Every structure is written in C-alpha cells, then in structure tokens.
Amino acid sequence: MLPWTTYEAMYDAATSQPEQFWLEAAQRITWKQAPVSACRTRADGWHDWFPDATLNTCHNAVDRHVADGRGGQAALIWHSCATKERQVVTYRELQGRVAGFAGGLRALGVEKGDRVLIAMPTMIETAIAMLACARIGAVHVVVFAGYAGPELARRIDSVAPKVIIIASCSFQGQTTIPSQLALNEALAEAEHKPQACVIVQRATCPAQLLPERDHDFHTLEQSAPAEPVMLRSEDPLYILHTSGTTGHAKGIVRDNGGHAVALALSMELIYGCEPGDTFFTTSDLGWVVGHSYGVYAPLLSGCTSVIVEGGASASAIRALCHEHEVKCLFTTPTQMRLMRQESRNLSGAILPALARIFVAGEYADPTLLEWARSYFCKPVVNHWWQTETGWSITAHFFGLPEREPVALMNDIGRPAPGFRPEIMLSIPGEQCGEIVLSLPLPPGCLAGVWKDGAIHVPAAYLDETGQYYRTFDEGMIEASRAVHMLGRSDDVIKVAGRRISGVQIEKIIAAHPEVHACAVVATPDELRGQRPVAYVVPNSGVEGRPSSEEIIGRVNHALGRWIGLKEVRFVKHLPTTVSGKITRKRLLVS
C-alpha cells in the first residue's frame, strides 16, 4: 500500500527527501545486493541510480513470481489481428521458455554486454527474446519489423549485434511481408556482420534457413536453461532507437535497476494496478510503450499483460477487454480516433472489469477524451512522456486515495515523482515556453545514448547551464503544478510577434462533430512572419466535409482573427510515423 494519501504529500516526499523516497521505492524490487544509496553523479555529469546494487531484471519479472506462487497465472496473452492466432503463457511456462532460449543464446556465444538485435512484430517470442537477453546480461535492441534493408543495416552498424533475431514474416494489415529478404539485403550492406541469425518460423510464410548462419528459434528454446546473471544496477538493459527530440535516430540506453524501480512504482502509483490485474497496451513492442508497459512494468508487478499484433479494431479491443477482464487499457489518440469512427455502428461499451484508460504518444484533444469517457463510461486521461524518459513525466495518479480535480482530467496531469519541470522563457513576460526538467532525472530515464560502442550524453539534451534536460515541448505550469502542453517547440507558430500553438487551434477544429482528425502547421507570411494552415480529415470523407468558412469562423470566434487562419485543406488522411504519430513536417504548404 502506498504511504501517501494526497498528491502533494507524495510529490513533496520525492522532492524534499529524494534519497529516502527512492530507497523505499526500491523495496518493490528483489536485489542480490540491496542499494545503500539512491543516486550518484557520474564523471560525465549524468547520474546513476542505485549504484553498485545488483539484481537481474528477468528474475524480477518472471522467476520471483513463480517462487511466490503465481506460476499458474497468465503472464502474457497474445492475439494476432492478422492471423487470428492467440496464445496464453503462464509465468511458469514463461520461465521455462525464457531460460531455455537464454541458454540457446549463450550457446551461440552471447555474453554479458553483447548486443542482440530483435527485428520482430509483437509476438510472444519477441517478449521471450527480450527477457532472455535480460536474463544473461545481454543488451536487447528491438527495432521495427517492417524496416527495409538499408534502414535495418543502419541499426546493425549502430549497435554491432552478436546475434540478430527475426520472424520469418510480419504483416501489413492482412498482407504477408517476408522478412528474410530485408535481412539479407541489410547484411550485405552493413559493415558489421553478426555471428548468427535466429528465425521464428511462422506457418504463414516459413523461411529457408541458411545452414551456416540461421538457427530456428523454437529449437534454441530447448537448450539447457540459463540461470539469471546478477548485474549492477547501472548496467544497460536495452537500447531503443528514436528519432526523438533532437533530430536523427539515437540509441537510448536504459539501465537495469532504475528502470525496474520506476516501472514497478508507476504501476501502483499511476495506473493503480496490483499483482494479478490485467494490463492491455495496444502498442507495438518495438516502441517505448511496448517495452515499458507491454512487457516490463506488468511483469515486474506480477500482472497479466495483453499484447496484440497489428492494428486492433474498436470491436476487437472491446472483445479483448471483456474476455480477459482488463483493468487498465493503454492506447494512443490515433487508435482512439479510429475507435470513435468505428463506434458509430457499435453500442456503448459495457466492460465491468475495466477501471480506466490511458492515452499517450501524441496530444489527445478534450473532445476525443470526452467521447471516450462517454463511450466507455470510464475515466480516460492523457499523460506525457518521451522515449528518453521511459515513463510518465506528468500523469494522473490513480493509486492515491485522493481524487483529482475534474479540471485536471482533460490535460496531461502533474509531475510524477522525481520530475521537476520548469519553464524556459524565450520571450520575457510570457507564461509559456519550453518545458525543461531539473537534473538529475528520476530513475527509469535514459542512462545516455549509444554511440561508437559506448554510452554518451549528447549536449543537445542539455540547456546552456548543463543543469536542465530539454524536452523540446512547450507549455505552461500552474501554481497547482498542473502542466499544460502547447506542442513541440518547432510546432509553435509565430504570428506578427505573437506565439500560438498549433495544438490550441487543433483543439477547436477537432471539436467540430464532422472532423475525424486534424493538424495545423505554419507557413511563411511576408507581412506577419508566419500564418497557420489547417489540414482536416472529415469523418465522412472529403466529399461530405464541413466548409472551410465554418472551420475558420470557429477558430476566429474562439481565439480571434489575429490568428490569421485563412486556409483549410481537406485530406483523406494525415501522414504518420510507423508508431502512429502525426508528422507535421511532412505537411508541406505550397
């Protein structure tokens, strides 16, 4: 049970006595050598959490739950939207499969500190590969299964993996995409050559194994089981590439100890989950949400995790929540918009076990959140985090008995423990500016970036003083500590010397009942510097759209004519990343 009854008591404890706060939080984890100090400054100025303490993340996520009597409980439940396959794996079964595959990796020469690149869709075997690496101290690097050869080659050269693991195919919708061709092309182009490749054979599209290179995944699972290797808290657990806040792709490094402590605390404090509860994230395991809340956080907490391959429809998500008595659903605003569109032909969801829904990954406008609350008849909240942080910077705290003010529910919440946001003003006198985080960042955040075989902290992440982490997100902070997000720093539009966030305009447009999705970007204006242009996806297709004048009138009425919105472009869809985020930079204005 959490020792605090209010948000203020919790946050003040983390701020005024951080050493005591985090050492107490660390008691949620089983250690070989328990931590005696919480935080230590490194030679490069960054920070290690629980230095010199030892643990194994896989033991904490799997073995200890079997020892505690949870062996028969479902650990992972997998559904494929493409093949309609499903699989349930108990903690005891997971322990055996992970230990066997870890032994197979060791037989291929994988040792502590070696990188293992995993290019697979969301499957049970993907999670097994991740946990097997954690078991023997190898560093897993999960990448998008759909990468073409050249992009996969860049990831290979970035981390120099000893072993590469793929599935024989993935799916785009219902279309089968063989994977071996991209692997062959990547290996021909990459300078680094792995010692071995491992392939999960799928019945839909089996691959022809090359005798000198390829090994069958399920055969390796039958290897002599490997016991967990004790690691230092600061040893790397994984590398996850992101195009993130500073441009080109970066390999974010996550540690073992701080990561385990932060995620275990978050499950109880933010999501209100207890051992035995069922947690469902619609994220691909290749993204940070899939890492944190598809695999590690639920398993570290003794919960059941539901994972899906492919885009799940509104009816499929409802069915999964009902069938598996899901307590918490974690999805994206993009997925929620698709659910809203599909739900016109569905009655309201009746899901007694579902307690709450969380969205993250991009901004969720209040209209979307209100629709979801009405449809599910459950609390639906947004929260803010980044690949670099690994868990929520700001959130709503369902593990506390205190209920939050209703006014907070439409925004991204208040800071999680250890995050100390401030506003870096670019224009004196304004209330909004870039949100920066005072160092040190709390446990669970990046340990650095992987480059040339070592961990570095790029200067681009820090402000000029070196005392703050730059989020590159703009917003404002109220006296109540509530954080209001305006958007990415490069999404703020500067009209005649005044700043307006594209998100503020999008909120108003999205409230129109005939708008499915929208994005607002800046275009140069000779007189005023910049002006906004709106891209709108109507609910009923481009033909049955609302008028440009109607949308412009709504914006002018809400914000004023000074905004200068004169152009509305109706489109069938918005460009997105493979993880579903709208890529506004691709909305080029002629």
Side-chain angles (χ1 to χ4, degrees), residues 81-252:
C81 298
T83 67
K84 310 307 178 187
E85 295 172 279
R86 55 175 56 198
Q87 195 173 354
V88 178
V89 179
T90 66
Y91 272 100
R92 184 174 293 106
E93 290 167 340
L94 186 62
Q95 181 185 38
R97 294 183 67 177
V98 168
F101 189 68
L105 287 177
R106 183 170 283 168
L108 294 178
V110 177
E111 300 175 351
K112 174 185 172 183
D114 288 336
R115 275 79 59 208
V116 175
L117 190 142
I118 304 169
M120 297 214 298
T122 296
M123 301 172 63
I124 292 290
E125 287 83 357
T126 310
I128 288 173
M130 295 166 66
L131 291 164
C133 290
R135 192 172 189 85
I136 59 175
V139 181
H140 64 71
V141 189
V142 183
V143 304
F144 178 50
Y147 278 145
E151 187 62 30
L152 183 58
R154 281 188 282 273
R155 297 292 189 266
I156 292 171
D157 283 336
S158 171
V159 299
K162 184 168 281 189
V163 169
I164 296 175
I165 307 172
I166 68 167
S168 59
C169 65
S170 59
F171 294 88
Q172 187 170 4
Q174 300 297 315
T175 304
T176 304
I177 311 294
S179 303
Q180 200 171 30
L181 182 63
L183 175 64
N184 294 341
E185 184 181 353
L187 292 178
E189 185 171 324
E191 293 184 10
H192 173 80
K193 308 301 178 186
Q195 288 188 9
C197 296
V198 178
I199 298 180
V200 179
Q201 294 283 33
R202 307 192 73 174
T204 310
C205 182
Q208 184 67 43
L209 302 186
L210 301 181
E212 301 300 320
R213 186 193 73 183
D214 298 338
H215 302 263
D216 178 74
F217 187 101
H218 295 115
T219 300
L220 288 177
E221 271 192 33
Q222 307 306 313
S223 303
E227 291 298 313
V229 172
M230 291 301 134
L231 305 168
R232 296 181 307 162
S233 173
E234 58 267 39
D235 285 338
L237 171 67
Y238 69 75
I239 299 169
L240 181 62
H241 286 89
T242 174
S243 56
T245 54
T246 55
H248 63 280
K250 304 172 297 297
I252 303 302

Side-chain angles (χ1 to χ4, degrees), residues 467-523:
Q467 300 301 306
Y468 294 92
Y469 167 88
R470 298 188 63 185
T471 68
F472 295 91
D473 285 314
E474 299 228 347
M476 57 188 298
I477 303 173
E478 292 186 356
S480 65
R481 295 197 173 100
V483 178
H484 300 283
M485 180 66 65
L486 297 178
R488 300 294 292 167
S489 296
D490 53 6
D491 290 338
V492 173
I493 304 166
K494 303 171 184 67
V495 180
R498 301 178 70 179
R499 294 154 61 86
I500 181 73
S501 166
V503 167
Q504 290 176 273
I505 304 174
E506 290 168 12
K507 280 185 188 180
I508 298 160
I509 299 173
H512 192 291
E514 290 303 319
V515 170
H516 169 65
C518 63
V520 174
V521 297
T523 189

Side-chain angles (χ1 to χ4, degrees), residues 108-416:
L108 294 178
V110 177
E111 300 175 351
K112 174 185 172 183
D114 288 336
R115 275 79 59 208
V116 175
L117 190 142
I118 304 169
M120 297 214 298
T122 296
M123 301 172 63
I124 292 290
E125 287 83 357
T126 310
I128 288 173
M130 295 166 66
L131 291 164
C133 290
R135 192 172 189 85
I136 59 175
V139 181
H140 64 71
V141 189
V142 183
V143 304
F144 178 50
Y147 278 145
E151 187 62 30
L152 183 58
R154 281 188 282 273
R155 297 292 189 266
I156 292 171
D157 283 336
S158 171
V159 299
K162 184 168 281 189
V163 169
I164 296 175
I165 307 172
I166 68 167
S168 59
C169 65
S170 59
F171 294 88
Q172 187 170 4
Q174 300 297 315
T175 304
T176 304
I177 311 294
S179 303
Q180 200 171 30
L181 182 63
L183 175 64
N184 294 341
E185 184 181 353
L187 292 178
E189 185 171 324
E191 293 184 10
H192 173 80
K193 308 301 178 186
Q195 288 188 9
C197 296
V198 178
I199 298 180
V200 179
Q201 294 283 33
R202 307 192 73 174
T204 310
C205 182
Q208 184 67 43
L209 302 186
L210 301 181
E212 301 300 320
R213 186 193 73 183
D214 298 338
H215 302 263
D216 178 74
F217 187 101
H218 295 115
T219 300
L220 288 177
E221 271 192 33
Q222 307 306 313
S223 303
E227 291 298 313
V229 172
M230 291 301 134
L231 305 168
R232 296 181 307 162
S233 173
E234 58 267 39
D235 285 338
L237 171 67
Y238 69 75
I239 299 169
L240 181 62
H241 286 89
T242 174
S243 56
T245 54
T246 55
H248 63 280
K250 304 172 297 297
I252 303 302
V253 180
R254 201 83 65 203
D255 69 355
N256 273 272
H259 170 262
V261 171
L263 293 191
L265 175 63
S266 75
M267 285 292 285
E268 186 176 2
L269 177 63
I270 295 173
Y271 303 100
C273 286
E274 301 175 348
D277 288 340
T278 301
F279 196 97
F280 175 16
T281 175
T282 61
S283 172
D284 187 284
L285 294 188
W287 313 126
V288 65
V289 174
H291 275 52
S292 292
Y293 294 100
V295 177
Y296 284 112
L299 298 185
L300 286 166
S301 302
C303 295
T304 297
S305 179
V306 178
I307 55 176
V308 293
E309 178 186 23
S313 65
S315 57
I317 289 174
R318 281 176 43 159
L320 289 170
C321 288
H322 184 271
E323 179 182 353
H324 302 299
E325 298 185 332
V326 170
K327 182 176 183 178
C328 286
L329 172 64
F330 191 150
T331 189
T332 66
T334 296
Q335 183 73 57
M336 194 69 76
R337 292 186 196 101
L338 293 172
M339 292 171 66
R340 179 174 63 182
Q341 195 170 45
E342 290 181 39
S343 70
R344 294 183 171 193
N345 302 317
L346 298 171
S347 59
I350 302 175
L351 300 168
L354 186 64
R356 56 197 69 99
I357 300 171
F358 298 83
V359 295
E362 57 181 313
Y363 180 75
D365 60 87
T367 305
L368 180 64
L369 296 178
E370 290 296 345
W371 167 83
R373 290 174 192 136
S374 174
Y375 180 71
F376 286 99
C377 298
K378 307 291 181 181
V380 182
V381 296
N382 198 3
H383 54 340
W384 170 48
W385 50 310
Q386 300 177 337
T387 300
E388 287 85 350
T389 64
W391 64 300
S392 293
I393 303 171
T394 63
H396 304 268
F397 301 88
F398 288 91
L400 297 174
E402 175 193 49
R403 293 280 71 92
E404 287 189 325
V406 174
L408 282 177
M409 299 302 283
N410 276 339
D411 228 310
I412 58 174
R414 293 178 284 186

Side-chain angles (χ1 to χ4, degrees), residues 29-50:
I29 297 303
T30 300
W31 305 83
K32 178 70 172 179
Q33 176 66 47
V36 294
S37 63
C39 186
R40 179 175 65 194
T41 303
R42 298 192 321 218
D44 63 2
W46 207 244
H47 301 83
D48 286 330
W49 282 96
F50 313 110

